[in-house]
């Protein structure tokens, strides 16, 4: 068995990475981590036993550790492993049962903590209201409580499961294992059942971790916009009036004790906030002031945004006049000339103001209020336009902006920040020009001289301006979906459901993208050069590497998504850029499938270059173009199929890409489930260039529709895998190391 030694503090597997193997821990210790929830795994524990297609957890070594990889993805693989080595039966059985017990223990602990948190928040907020009433002082507005509800779990571990696991561990573990180990089916069944229970329980743990992480700031927040501040402020107001503050201070001590005990807060936040209270001189409270909180129901948000951005009076007045005219329209969604003209005049003013507010937020981020965050991330400007209830919900959402951020998902604000700080380059404009090409075009036209081009090429502010005035302004309108009625300011008539239900979060995006990856497993794989070749054997080998897209959320309530760029620059191994509205009532699954379909077409075009439609160079686009161009003469198409294809081409206005996208939607939604919607020719092209994952192929290849095409595809893949295996053996014997990059390349041919 291969043994891999890993130093302390290194990551073995990363959350959301594809699961390729299980790993048996031989020595050392590994932290299984999901947010702030952790389990320590020791020798004989199995990393991956509860995982499925993508890792739910991070796995990080707690100390120097040795692990052995196991090729196990299902019950058949497990049966083969146990058959090959009998001593693993007892090890795997005991491990599965004990790991399940620990996961159930963590689940039960978090379930209790979540219930306690919800009850505590309700209690201390009601206490605050009672205090205000008894002291005859006004309550400070706190709209977050309007949307604070108990968590509704989707993935549950039942009490009987937890109790059953506890009794088994405590009372009959030895006897149970001795009985189960005697029969292969029982042995595999117990392990896989424990695996399924752990998987479900860990998904539930993830829900609870997200709930506590998303809502913890309602009680104690670095921004001071919390219940702790309400009581603190009340104590200050009472002391100014020489009222007895002992009951309020007792409540603050009670609250302080809870936030220390519940273990969901950063120690630095607890220290800073509680020390502020403990060191506060209530005897001289009249000379001190606490920060004033903003209430979106009463605050002039529009003015607040313009003042923060230091917008000139002339520009502010012009913008106000247009927005007022928009507000006063009898129907703000009207398509008549007058309404269209007002909206058209608002747009350029909005983006110029956005740039100025963005720059102020970058330079004075600590001064950016939730209202500024609402503007920069959601396009909110005015409570009257957005609606009071929506404004309150958006205000609350600023405390949970992490829902819209990940390594690959950005709000428009965080995307522009990544450009400002040089982590990403600006996108191409509508004329397919990147930032540098745009500057050179301006120079060619006489709008810029060489000195200006040289100065601007590394000017991060100008790069941000370019992104706002090009990609952002165009994509915001397109993703909104109704170009003729588009207004860049978030409006109530577009928010046809609650904010939370319309929010396009990282979790929702990952879910829809992963659905496609489980069907069309090659969707995001590209050929790249092997960069770590230790000798000449693999130095010219092209490897398949999965490169997932960046997703940028436009600040609108829209109905469309789009594939803006298939790569970030000329290199093949850079990420595509997908654009989605940050709020939508449309079907997100269909939006994602359509976007991936367009990406597949455009990525093929980029790789093929000028020969993208030359059938002599076999590719997805060349074969599809040939099929669509000459369908009338194709003997493999029935008269009915030709009629349908003629209609499809007409509907797509002779755009072959759009015909393919419709077929791709049918491929993912129907053909993968055995419901046949494509004609024979389209199906045979997609089998080759958008192949289904092995599990789906195994179900479909017995069908007459696929009896020839799928076996042929699998034979071709088997030949590639055989060639690679031989090549890897030769490479390894010559001193080369089989890296993760090489393993993924071989796995690609085996899926």
């Amino acid at each position: 068995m291969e043994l891999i030694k890993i130093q302390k503090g290194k990551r073995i597997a990363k959350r959301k990475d594809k699961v390729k193997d299980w790993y048996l821990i031989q020595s050392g210790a590994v932290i299984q981590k999901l947010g702030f929830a952790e389990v320590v795994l020791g020798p004989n524990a199995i990393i991956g036993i509860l995982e499925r297609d993508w890792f739910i957890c991070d796995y990080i070594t707690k100390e120097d550790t040795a692990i052995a990889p196991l090729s196990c993805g299902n019950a058949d693989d497990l049966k083969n492993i146990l058959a090959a080595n009998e001593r693993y039966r007892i090890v795997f059985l005991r491990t599965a049962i004990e790991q399940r017990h620990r996961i159930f223990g963590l689940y039960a602990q978090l379930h209790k903590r979540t219930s306690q948190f919800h009850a505590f928040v309700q209690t201390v907020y009601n206490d605050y209201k009672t205090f205000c009433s008894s002291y005859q002082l006004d309550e400070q507005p706190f709209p977050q409580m309007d949307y604070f509800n108990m968590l509704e779990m989707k993935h549950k571990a039942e009490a009987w499961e937890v109790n059953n696991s506890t009794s088994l561990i405590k009372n009959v573990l030895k006897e149970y294992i001795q009985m189960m180990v005697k029969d292969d089916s029982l042995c595999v069944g117990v392990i896989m059942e424990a695996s399924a229970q752990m998987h479900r329980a860990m998904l539930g743990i993830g829900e609870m971790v997200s709930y506590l992480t998303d809502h913890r700031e309602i009680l104690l927040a670095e921004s001071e916009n919390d219940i702790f501040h309400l009581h603190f402020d009340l104590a200050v107001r009472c002391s100014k009036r020489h009222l007895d503050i002992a009951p309020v201070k007792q409540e603050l001590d009670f609250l302080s004790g809870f936030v220390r005990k519940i273990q969901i807060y950063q120690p630095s936040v607890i220290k800073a906030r509680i020390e502020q209270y403990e060191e506060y001189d209530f005897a001289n409270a009249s000379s001190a002031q606490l920060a004033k909180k903003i209430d979106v129901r009463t605050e002039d948000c529009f003015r607040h945004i313009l003042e923060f951005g230091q917008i000139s009076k002339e520009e502010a007045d012009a913008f106000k006049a247009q927005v007022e005219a928009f507000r006063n329209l009898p129907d703000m969604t009207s398509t008549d000339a007058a309404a269209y003209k007002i909206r058209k005049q608002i747009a350029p003013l909005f983006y110029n103001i956005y740039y100025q507010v963005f720059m102020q937020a970058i330079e004075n981020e600590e001064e950016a209020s939730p209202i500024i965050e609402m503007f920069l991330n959601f396009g909110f400007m005015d409570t009257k336009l957005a609606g009071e209830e929506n404004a309150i919900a958006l205000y609350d959402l600023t405390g949970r902006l992490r829902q819209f951020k990940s390594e690959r998902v950005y709000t428009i604000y965080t995307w522009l920040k990544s450009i400002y700080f040089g982590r990403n380059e600006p996108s191409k404009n509508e004329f397919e020009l990147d930032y540098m090409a745009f500057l050179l075009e301006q120079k060619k036209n006489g709008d810029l001289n060489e000195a200006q081009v040289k100065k601007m090429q590394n000017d991060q502010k100008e790069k941000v301006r370019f992104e706002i005035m090009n990609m952002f302004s165009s994509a915001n309108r397109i993703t909104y979906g109704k170009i003729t009625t588009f207004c860049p300011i978030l409006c109530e008539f577009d928010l046809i459901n609650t904010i939370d239900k319309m929010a396009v979060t990282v979790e929702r995006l990952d879910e829809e993208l992963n659905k496609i990856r489980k069907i069309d497993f090659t969707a995001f794989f590209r050929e790249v050069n092997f960069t770590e070749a230790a000798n000449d054997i693999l130095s010219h080998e092209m490897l398949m590497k999965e490169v997932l897209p960046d997703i940028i959320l436009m600040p609108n309530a829209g109905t469309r998504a789009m594939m803006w760029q298939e790569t970030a620059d000329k290199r093949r191994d850079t990420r595509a850029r997908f654009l989605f509205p940050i709020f939508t009532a449309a079907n997100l699954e269909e939006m994602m499938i359509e976007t991936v379909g367009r990406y597949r077409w455009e990525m093929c075009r980029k790789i093929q270059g000028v020969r993208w439609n030359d059938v002599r160079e076999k590719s997805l686009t060349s074969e599809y173009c040939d099929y669509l161009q000459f369908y009338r003469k194709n003997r493999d198409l029935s008269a009915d199929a030709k009629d349908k294809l003629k209609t499809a081409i007409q509907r797509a206005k002779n755009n072959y890409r759009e015909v393919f996208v419709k077929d791709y939607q049918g491929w993912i939604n129907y053909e993968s489930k055995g419901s046949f919607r494509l004609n024979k020719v389209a199906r045979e092209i997609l089998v080759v260039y958008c192949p289904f994952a092995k599990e789906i192929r195994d179900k479909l290849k017995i069908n007459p529709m696929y009896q020839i095409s799928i076996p042929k595809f699998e034979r071709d893949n088997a030949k590639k895998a055989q060639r690679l295996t031989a090549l890897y053996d030769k490479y390894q014997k010559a001193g080369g190391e089989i890296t993760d990059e090489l393993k993924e390349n071989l796995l690609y041919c085996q899926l």
Side-chain angles (χ1 to χ4, degrees):
M1 178 181 287
E2 180 189 358
L3 204 62
I4 303 171
K5 294 184 178 180
I6 305 171
Q7 291 180 334
K8 176 183 176 181
K10 298 293 183 182
R11 184 185 275 119
I12 295 172
K14 184 181 177 185
R15 186 168 180 261
K16 297 184 181 179
D17 275 359
K18 190 174 286 184
V19 179
K20 297 168 186 172
D21 293 306
W22 289 5
Y23 301 96
L24 181 64
I25 300 175
Q26 300 288 302
S27 63
V30 174
I31 300 169
Q32 181 179 2
K33 184 177 176 62
L34 180 53
F36 57 76
E38 295 182 359
V39 172
V40 178
L41 306 176
N44 289 333
I46 299 172
I47 296 169
I49 192 170
L50 65 78
E51 307 287 359
R52 291 295 177 268
D53 299 290
W54 290 275
F55 282 103
I56 301 171
C57 306
D58 289 305
Y59 294 86
I60 302 161
T61 53
K62 188 179 181 183
E63 55 192 64
D64 289 354
T65 301
I67 58 173
L70 303 164
S71 243
C72 191
N74 53 46
D76 289 337
D77 292 341
L78 178 61
K79 189 174 181 179
N80 292 334
I81 290 170
L82 300 183
N85 196 328
E86 271 196 43
R87 80 178 180 87
Y88 279 162
R89 291 187 178 193
I90 291 178
V91 172
F92 278 40
L93 269 170
R94 182 179 291 275
T95 290
I97 293 166
E98 289 179 347
Q99 281 188 235
R100 175 181 63 186
H101 181 63
R102 299 194 70 183
I103 295 297
F104 277 163
L106 178 61
Y107 179 96
Q109 181 192 72
L110 272 170
H111 193 269
K112 182 179 178 181
R113 208 187 302 183
T114 303
S115 299
Q116 286 176 334
F117 177 80
H118 179 261
F120 186 86
V121 169
Q122 294 283 10
T123 299
V124 292
Y125 184 66
N126 288 334
D127 288 348
Y128 169 73
K129 292 164 76 73
T130 302
F131 281 138
C132 288
S133 177
S134 63
Y135 286 120
Q136 296 184 345
L137 293 172
D138 291 337
E139 295 176 25
Q140 294 295 326
F142 196 64
Q144 290 93 314
M145 285 302 294
D146 296 342
Y147 296 89
F148 180 67
N149 300 307
M150 184 58 192
L151 171 64
E152 293 182 11
M153 298 282 293
K154 294 179 183 175
H155 305 94
K156 298 179 183 179
E158 301 296 340
W160 66 263
E161 292 179 287
V162 179
N163 295 335
N164 176 69
S165 174
T166 302
S167 294
L168 179 58
I169 288 283
K170 285 184 177 179
N171 302 322
V172 292
L173 181 59
K174 185 178 179 181
E175 297 85 343
Y176 183 79
I177 289 176
Q178 285 175 345
M179 183 170 64
M180 294 298 114
V181 79
K182 293 175 182 177
D183 183 272
D184 283 351
S185 295
L186 285 174
C187 187
V188 171
V190 169
I191 295 168
M192 295 308 293
E193 180 184 40
S195 169
Q197 287 176 311
M198 281 189 273
H199 181 75
R200 174 164 39 87
M202 188 54 76
L203 289 173
I205 288 168
E207 289 182 60
M208 292 184 280
V209 166
S210 294
Y211 176 82
L212 291 170
T213 303
D214 291 341
H215 290 91
R216 63 188 173 189
E217 292 187 351
I218 203 168
L219 200 58
L220 190 80
E222 194 172 3
S223 66
E224 302 184 15
N225 186 34
D226 52 36
I227 291 174
F228 188 87
H229 177 86
L230 295 179
H231 286 85
F232 193 178
D233 172 71
L234 180 62
V236 171
R237 287 191 285 153
C238 287
S239 64
K240 287 180 182 179
R241 298 189 180 198
H242 307 291
L243 301 172
D244 179 17
I245 65 169
V248 185
K249 289 186 73 177
Q250 187 177 1
E251 185 86 353
L252 280 162
D253 292 338
F254 176 49
L255 204 158
S256 301
F258 181 82
V259 298
R260 286 187 174 113
K261 184 179 176 182
I262 199 168
Q263 297 180 329
I264 61 174
Y265 294 96
Q266 294 291 336
S268 58
V269 175
I270 296 175
K271 186 174 186 291
R273 296 299 315 285
I274 294 177
E275 279 186 2
Q276 182 191 19
Y277 154 63
E278 290 175 342
E279 295 171 2
Y280 194 83
D281 184 4
F282 287 97
N284 298 307
S286 58
S287 63
Q289 292 291 324
L290 289 180
K292 181 189 173 186
K293 299 300 166 207
I294 294 171
D295 181 7
V296 291
R297 291 172 289 195
T298 59
E299 178 77 13
D300 185 346
C301 301
F302 193 83
R303 178 183 56 79
H304 178 83
I305 292 164
L306 296 180
E307 286 180 357
F308 178 86
Q310 298 182 11
I311 310 302
S312 69
K313 186 178 185 306
E314 182 183 1
E315 189 175 1
D317 287 346
F319 190 54
K320 284 177 186 175
Q322 293 298 336
V323 172
E324 193 62 35
F326 180 60
R327 273 202 207 109
N328 293 333
L329 285 171
D331 177 9
M332 286 187 282
T333 64
S334 171
T335 56
D336 66 30
Y340 177 77
K341 182 180 178 182
I342 291 170
R343 287 191 295 265
K344 191 175 180 181
Q345 289 171 331
I346 285 174
L349 295 169
F350 173 90
Y351 293 112
N352 196 42
I353 287 168
Y354 189 99
Y355 171 77
Q356 293 175 73
V357 174
F358 172 85
M359 292 312 307
Q360 287 297 322
I362 287 290
E363 293 166 11
N364 307 284
E365 197 156 19
E366 68 284 351
E367 295 178 17
S369 68
I371 288 172
I372 299 304
E373 290 185 319
M374 289 159 69
F375 170 65
L376 292 170
N377 291 287
F378 309 133
F380 168 89
M381 289 200 82
D382 180 61
T383 301
K384 291 178 184 175
L385 285 176
E388 186 177 293
E389 188 176 333
N390 292 324
I392 293 168
L394 290 168
Y395 189 91
D396 179 46
L397 203 55
T398 60
R400 294 182 279 129
L401 282 170
R402 67 182 67 83
Q403 294 181 345
F404 304 98
K405 302 174 190 175
S406 75
E407 183 186 339
R408 297 183 294 99
V409 179
Y410 302 79
T411 67
I412 187 61
Y413 176 52
T414 55
W415 175 253
L416 292 170
K417 280 175 69 177
S418 77
I419 290 172
Y420 181 82
F421 290 112
R423 293 189 291 271
N424 282 297
E425 287 297 312
S427 308
K428 293 178 181 177
N429 64 16
E430 285 186 296
F431 302 103
E432 290 290 305
L433 297 175
D434 62 22
Y435 180 67
M436 196 60 209
F438 169 77
L439 294 181
L440 294 174
E441 184 74 11
Q442 293 289 93
K443 178 188 171 187
K444 182 181 175 182
N445 295 338
D447 297 321
L448 294 174
N449 58 40
E450 191 165 341
Q452 289 172 314
V453 169
K454 193 172 181 179
K455 181 183 177 183
M456 290 174 68
Q457 66 184 10
N458 295 313
D459 188 328
Q460 299 306 121
K461 291 183 180 180
E462 286 301 322
K463 288 183 179 182
V464 168
R465 189 193 298 275
F466 176 83
E467 190 77 342
I468 290 173
M469 300 307 173
N470 289 278
M471 185 278 279
F472 179 16
S473 62
S474 297
N476 204 22
R477 184 179 72 252
I478 297 167
T479 55
Y480 176 70
K482 302 183 284 284
I483 294 175
T484 55
T485 59
F486 171 71
C487 176
I489 302 172
L490 192 67
C491 294
E492 185 173 19
F493 51 77
D494 291 317
L495 297 165
I496 61 176
N497 210 325
T498 64
I499 291 292
D500 278 346
K501 286 182 179 176
M502 292 183 70
V504 180
T505 61
V506 170
E507 184 181 1
R508 290 183 68 193
L509 289 166
D510 282 347
E511 182 182 354
E512 300 307 339
L513 193 66
N514 287 340
K515 281 182 189 175
I516 298 171
R517 291 169 71 199
K518 286 176 74 171
I519 297 169
D520 178 9
F521 76 96
T522 69
F524 297 101
F525 276 88
R526 307 176 192 168
E527 277 192 339
V528 297
N529 290 311
F530 181 40
T531 56
E532 300 176 21
N535 53 57
D536 289 339
I537 295 170
L538 292 180
S539 59
H540 300 295
E541 187 72 14
M542 297 299 288
L543 306 183
M544 299 306 295
K545 178 182 177 182
E546 190 174 36
V547 184
L548 298 177
D550 282 330
I551 299 177
I552 308 162
L553 299 171
M554 296 293 109
N556 66 59
T559 58
R560 284 191 63 192
M562 64 185 305
M563 199 285 299
W564 188 265
Q565 286 178 217
E566 62 279 359
T567 57
D569 56 37
K570 293 177 182 178
R571 294 172 298 158
R572 288 186 187 180
D573 62 345
T574 55
R575 294 174 179 173
R577 293 179 182 177
F578 290 3
L579 311 178
F580 281 74
I582 199 164
F583 302 112
T584 189
N587 186 320
L588 191 62
E589 181 179 18
E590 286 306 309
M591 291 166 73
M592 185 65 78
I593 294 170
E594 190 176 342
T595 305
V596 174
R598 290 200 176 92
Y599 161 80
R600 264 201 163 284
W601 183 272
E602 294 300 334
M603 192 66 213
C604 184
R605 278 192 59 167
K606 184 180 183 73
I607 291 168
Q608 295 302 115
V610 294
R611 296 187 176 181
W612 69 273
N613 60 355
D614 186 345
V615 78
R616 290 171 297 180
E617 292 282 338
K618 298 290 184 182
S619 71
L620 170 66
T621 52
S622 68
E623 293 205 42
Y624 233 84
C625 286
D626 184 66
Y627 147 63
L628 294 176
Q629 193 171 357
F630 301 108
Y631 75 90
R632 292 183 184 86
K633 299 177 182 178
N634 197 321
R635 295 179 182 178
D636 289 328
L637 294 173
S638 66
D640 183 52
K642 290 177 181 179
D643 287 341
K644 287 180 180 177
L645 198 49
K646 179 181 178 182
T647 302
I649 294 170
Q650 287 173 343
R651 283 178 181 167
K653 299 177 181 177
N654 288 318
N655 186 326
Y656 289 174
R657 182 190 70 182
E658 294 310 301
V659 178
F660 164 75
V661 169
K662 289 297 179 188
D663 281 351
Y664 186 77
Q665 289 175 297
W667 184 247
I668 299 295
N669 287 327
Y670 301 107
E671 293 271 335
S672 66
K673 299 176 179 68
S675 177
F676 306 112
R677 302 294 177 92
L678 274 60
N679 63 52
K680 179 184 176 183
V681 180
R683 185 178 296 114
E684 288 181 354
I685 296 173
L686 284 165
V687 163
V688 175
Y689 297 107
C690 305
F692 292 133
K694 189 177 188 304
E695 186 179 348
I696 299 172
R697 295 199 308 269
D698 287 344
K699 291 176 182 176
L700 292 177
K701 63 185 176 185
I702 59 172
N703 190 289
M705 296 282 193
Y706 286 103
Q707 273 182 342
I708 295 174
S709 56
I710 287 181
K712 182 181 182 302
F713 170 81
E714 292 186 337
R715 284 194 301 273
D716 291 344
N717 256 15
K719 287 177 184 176
K720 292 175 187 175
Q722 189 176 15
R723 184 190 74 83
L724 279 177
T725 302
L727 201 60
Y728 284 10
D729 287 344
K730 187 178 177 183
Y731 177 69
Q732 208 167 7
K733 286 174 184 175
E737 180 187 352
I738 304 301
T739 63
D740 288 343
E741 199 177 8
L742 291 173
K743 288 177 184 175
E744 183 177 46
N745 186 51
L746 181 58
L747 183 66
Y748 174 88
C749 297
Q750 296 170 337
L751 289 173

